[in-house]
Amino acid sequence: MHITQLNRECLLHLFSFLDKNSRKNLAKTCHKLLEVFQDPLLWSLLNFHSPVELKKDNFLLGPALKYLSICWYSERVKVCNIEDWMKNSLQKDFCNKHENTVSDFLLDVCNRCPNLLSVTLSGCGHVTDDCILQLLKNCPNLRSLKLENCVRITDRTLEAVTLYGGSLRTLHVDFCRNITRAGLEKVREKCPSLMLRADRSANMIPDSKPGKKLVLEKPSRKLVQL
């Protein structure tokens, strides 16, 4: 039996075992397999492991998407987690490209995937408060939001959770260095049933220019002298 003789349900099941590139390559072989590739039921879950993957045409965004994960840890991408004022011109140009890629992709997700249940974002320094705000507004069924080492996330995201995260049951903001303890306490106060985790976030040193840090250090030195 040739693979194209299988019914639609069997083909969808077979495609579900393939990664995105393999699905795309198989879809190029004939029109019937291309139709299976384009079936929204095949794309309820998406995982990405590098910024480059977000720009490929080997996946489909649509209302069937329920689970989204964007996680990367490569050495090159660590440049994105450096504080902006410390970056040289080459690093800034590199990061601007990543920022546009991530923000454009998440905007597409907001517009085309209203039934999301779970989002995990880890290791990308270009996920902003505005991106999360739009995600919460456009995906009212979101139950799990996990952010790890997203350095541009601040208390604005926590405030957005209290305003638009009515369906959220789990919130992780681990290693997000610009999250404050005051912001976390507000979430706990306004959303007592939310499972909130913030490993190291409120204990890390927030982004600030050297001048600001010196102002904070001077009073502490005077106290020591007294």
Side-chain angles (χ1 to χ4, degrees), residues 170-187:
T170 301
L171 175 65
H172 293 178
V173 283
D174 301 331
F175 295 90
C176 296
R177 63 181 180 238
N178 290 303
I179 291 288
T180 69
R181 191 172 299 279
L184 294 172
E185 289 303 323
K186 282 187 178 180
V187 173

Side-chain angles (χ1 to χ4, degrees), residues 75-87:
E75 292 298 322
R76 291 183 66 197
V77 178
K78 286 185 178 180
V79 172
C80 302
N81 291 327
I82 300 174
E83 296 180 32
D84 289 339
W85 59 271
M86 294 179 63
K87 296 173 184 173

